[in-house]
Amino acid sequence: MKIQVIIAALILITLTNCKRRDPLWRTIAYNDQLEQALFSSKIASDNWLMALKRAVKKNGNRREGLESAKRAELLKIRTAELLAEIQKVKTFVQRKRGDGYDVKTGTLKKPLANSKINKQVETIRKKMKNYFNFLKAEYKDFDLEFLDNDQLSAEEVQDEKRFYDVYFRGTSVIEALMSLTHLQFQAMDYERAVAVQLGRRRSTR
């Protein structure tokens, strides 16, 4: 499922269930929904890899199947590494910029504080750029046209200023966290696009 579809659905759910009109509360609620959806996406990714391995084993561990499983594991590892790097920045924003969570309300103490993560954003941009280069090199036998057509992978990560302007310039803590989660979702989308082709490659051999 594309990130745009997920976000649209979450907005609808959040606004439908939200009885308070406080914009900050709606933003916090939406961010919570986004985090839950990301968690579900990670579980689906784990289940996909396990299913692929079971299918390979069921088919007698043929060389082609084992090769697909190996490439799938590498894809999973590299995606997980990127997600972890973004998660580090999210934790930094929550603790250092948002002053941590209020134990009573379970929400950030300073959700509207300035995120101020210029250096961290540049690190993420470089990590994402390296991830896209990895996909193009490791899975060059696949149809990766989506990487060239996608604004994030084809344009935004290539330009330091544009990347920062699009996702983080002038953001509050809660807005920066939403942008970071969005980038994690994007990484999961790219993984899924390659995973689908890995599954097709295995099934046709």
Side-chain angles (χ1 to χ4, degrees), residues 6 9 15 32 35 43-46 54 56 67 84 88 91 100-101 104 117 135 137 150 164 196 198:
I6 295 173
L15 294 182
D32 289 343
E35 287 287 354
I43 292 177
S45 176
D46 292 339
R54 286 196 299 268
V56 170
E67 179 64 22
K88 287 180 185 178
T91 300
Y101 284 88
K104 294 182 178 179
I117 51 173
L135 292 180
D150 185 80
Y164 183 76
V196 168
L198 274 169

Side-chain angles (χ1 to χ4, degrees), residues 17-30:
N17 294 333
C18 181
K19 295 181 180 179
R20 295 174 59 179
R21 294 185 178 181
D22 179 7
L24 172 60
W25 188 90
R26 286 201 299 268
T27 303
I28 292 174
Y30 167 61

